[in-house]
C-alpha cells in the first residue's frame, strides 16, 4: 500500500482516535545534573491504535500540521496533562512543571494565550506548572509574533521554553530579542560535544549567554555519561535524554514522582 493512502487513512481516523482517547501523552523526565533530582518533564504524544500498535509523533504530527488537526491535538494533550496534574495534586504528590509542545498553527490563533489560561485554570492548576515549548523554526518567519506571545505568557507567569535552539534558524543573538525563560539546546547542538572542541566552545558560550540573560538552559537528547558530565561541568541547568530516562506512560511517571 502506498504512503499516500496510508496518510489519508490516518487523517480520516483522527476524530475517532481523539474520541476514543487513542492519543496518549508520554512524559519524559528532566533532571538537575547537580543533584540527579527530577525537576519536571515534557509531554510527548503517541498514537496507540485500536490494534495496540503505537505510532510515534513523527509519523502523524506533520500530517496534522498540514491539515490543521494539530490544533485540536495540542489542546487535547494540554487537557490530558492538566487532568493528570490535578489528580497528582489531589493525591498530595510533589508535582514539578510539565512542558507541552505548541505548534505554529496554534500560535497563529489570536486567542492562544487566553485559551491556554482558561484550560489550565479550569483544572485549578497554578499557571507555572504548565510550561510551553515554542520551537526555534517558528522564529524564521514569525519573529515578532513569537516575541509578543512570549511577553504575554510571561506577564501571566507562564514559562516559555525555546525548543530546538541551535538547530539552524536562529543565532545566539536571537536570545537577546526573545525574552524566554528556558533555552532548550537541540540534540544536534550537543551531539558533537565529546568529539569536537569547537562545538564545546559554542555550547559553553550559549550557556553563559543564556545565564547572563537570566535564562535557564536545558540540554536535550543526552545519551551518554560523558555528555552528561560535560554539560554538568558547563553549568547546564537541566538535562533531558535517554541517559536519564525515556519518555514513559503516565503511570510510570506517576510512580517516579510519588517515590
Ligand atoms: P521534540 O519536541 O524536539 O521532542 C524531543 C524528541 O526527542 C522526542 O521524540 C523524544 O522522545 C526524543 N528524545 C528524547 N531524548 C532522546 C535521546 O536521548 N536520544 C534520542 N535519539 N531522542 C531523544 P518524539 O517523542 O518522537 O517526538 C518527536 C517530535 O514530535 C517532538 O520533538 C515534537 O516536535 C513533536 N511532538 C511530540 N509531541 C507533540 C505534541 O503533543 N504536540 C506537538 N505539536 N508536537 C509534538
Ligand atoms: Ca519539545
Ligand atoms: Ca526539541
Amino acid at each position: 500500500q502506498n504512503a499516500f493512502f496510508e496518510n489519508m487513512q490516518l487523517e480520516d481516523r483522527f476524530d475517532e482516535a481523539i474520541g476514543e482517547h487513542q492519543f496518549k501523552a508520554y512524559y519524559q523526565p528532566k533532571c538537575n545534573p547537580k543533584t540527579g533530582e527530577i525537576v519536571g518533564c515534557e509531554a510527548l504524544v503517541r498514537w496507540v491504535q485500536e490494534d495496540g500498535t503505537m505510532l510515534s509523533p513523527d509519523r502523524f504530527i506533520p500530517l496534522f500540521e498540514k491539515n490543521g488537526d494539530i490544533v485540536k491535538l495540542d489542546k487535547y494533550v494540554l487537557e490530558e496533562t492538566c487532568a493528570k496534574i490535578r489528580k497528582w495534586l489531589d493525591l498530595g504528590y510533589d508535582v514539578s512543571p510539565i512542558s507541552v509542545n505548541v505548534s505554529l498553527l496554534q500560535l497563529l490563533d489570536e486567542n492562544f494565550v487566553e485559551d491556554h489560561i482558561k484550560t489550565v485554570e479550569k483544572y485549578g492548576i497554578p499557571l507555572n506548572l504548565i510550561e510551553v515549548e515554542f520551537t526555534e523554526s517558528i522564529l524564521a518567519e514569525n519573529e515578532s509574533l513569537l516575541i509578543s506571545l512570549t511577553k504575554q505568557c510571561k506577564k501571566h507567569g507562564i514559562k516559555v521554553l525555546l525548543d530546538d535552539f541551535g538547530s539552524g534558524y536562529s543565532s545566539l543573538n536571537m536570545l537577546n530579542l526573545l525574552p524566554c525563560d528556558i533555552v532548550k539546546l537541540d540534540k544536534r547542538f550537543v551531539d558533537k560535544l565529546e568529539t569536537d572542541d569547537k562545538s564545546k566552545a559554542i555550547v559553553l558560550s550559549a550557556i553563559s549567554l543564556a545565564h547572563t540573560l537570566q535564562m535557564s538552559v536545558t540540554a536535550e537528547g543526552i545519551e551518554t555519561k560523558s555528555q552528561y558530565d560535560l554539560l554538568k561541568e558547563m553549568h547546564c541547568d537541566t538535562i533531558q535524554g535517554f541517559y536519564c530516562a525515556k519518555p514513559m506512560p503516565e503511570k510510570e511517571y506517576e510512580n517516579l514522582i510519588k517515590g
Side-chain angles (χ1 to χ4, degrees):
Q1 206 183 7
N2 75 37
F4 178 78
F5 285 108
E6 278 179 32
N7 289 347
M8 226 164 65
Q9 279 180 348
L10 290 183
E11 291 184 46
D12 282 346
R13 284 165 42 213
F14 178 80
D15 286 324
E16 186 189 307
I18 283 273
E20 294 179 356
H21 290 262
Q22 290 175 16
F23 294 103
K24 308 279 178 205
Y26 271 45
Y27 299 100
Q28 184 175 34
K30 300 174 186 172
C31 74
N32 173 343
K34 297 249 148 60
T35 61
E37 274 172 337
I38 295 174
V39 291
C41 70
E42 175 178 7
L44 293 158
V45 72
R46 272 93 183 94
W47 185 349
V48 184
Q49 302 174 101
E50 293 119 314
D51 65 1
T53 53
M54 192 164 87
L55 294 181
S56 81
D58 291 332
R59 181 70 187 84
F60 55 88
I61 296 256
L63 298 177
F64 300 148
E65 273 173 344
K66 255 191 233 136
N67 74 7
D69 281 340
I70 188 70
V71 175
K72 257 196 202 168
L73 183 59
D74 282 351
K75 285 183 179 166
Y76 172 92
V77 171
L78 175 64
E79 290 252 355
E80 290 286 291
T81 301
C82 287
K84 293 293 128 58
I85 293 183
R86 183 68 260 156
K87 177 183 149 196
W88 294 333
L89 288 174
D90 290 342
L91 287 165
Y93 301 158
D94 195 7
V95 184
S96 355
I98 300 185
S99 61
V100 296
N101 290 284
V102 179
S103 67
L104 171 62
L105 274 184
Q106 240 183 315
L107 294 179
L108 292 175
D109 180 340
E110 55 184 24
N111 295 322
F112 166 72
V113 178
E114 204 183 306
D115 286 352
H116 178 91
I117 293 173
K118 257 191 216 150
T119 304
V120 176
E121 288 185 339
K122 190 171 86 185
Y123 290 87
I125 295 169
L127 285 167
N128 66 348
L129 282 188
I130 302 271
E131 299 171 350
V132 291
E133 300 204 358
F134 299 160
T135 168
E136 184 195 78
S137 61
I138 296 175
L139 272 173
E141 283 166 27
N142 302 277
E143 190 180 302
S144 54
L145 174 73
L146 208 63
I147 292 172
S148 109
L149 285 173
T150 301
K151 286 182 180 157
Q152 277 186 54
C153 285
K154 281 185 76 138
K155 200 175 73 195
H156 291 101
I158 303 163
K159 287 223 169 113
V160 175
L161 201 148
L162 181 60
D163 198 2
D164 305 325
F165 183 74
S167 64
Y169 294 89
S170 61
S171 60
L172 281 187
N173 187 44
M174 200 53 230
L175 291 185
N176 267 322
L177 299 172
L178 191 78
C180 60
D181 303 278
I182 302 157
V183 181
K184 196 188 257 195
L185 302 178
D186 190 66
K187 180 166 168 38
R188 274 162 284 186
F189 214 28
V190 290
D191 261 352
K192 287 185 285 178
L193 262 186
E194 301 150 281
T195 51
D196 176 15
D197 280 345
K198 267 194 207 148
S199 305
K200 213 159 135 181
I202 295 173
V203 170
L204 191 57
S205 47
I207 295 175
S208 357
L209 177 58
H211 283 166
T212 306
L213 297 170
Q214 319 287 318
M215 296 167 183
S216 155
V217 180
T218 299
E220 84 176 324
I222 302 315
E223 294 180 347
T224 68
K225 180 171 190 312
S226 70
Q227 285 174 335
Y228 181 92
D229 289 342
L230 275 170
L231 286 159
K232 178 174 160 181
E233 257 171 51
M234 294 179 175
H235 304 289
C236 179
D237 304 277
T238 316
I239 306 268
Q240 182 182 354
F242 295 168
Y243 179 71
C244 303
K246 292 203 165 163
M248 54 184 77
E250 160 229 322
K251 221 32 213 168
E252 225 171 285
Y253 185 70
E254 181 178 322
N255 287 334
L256 268 185
I257 59 169
K258 106 180 146 188

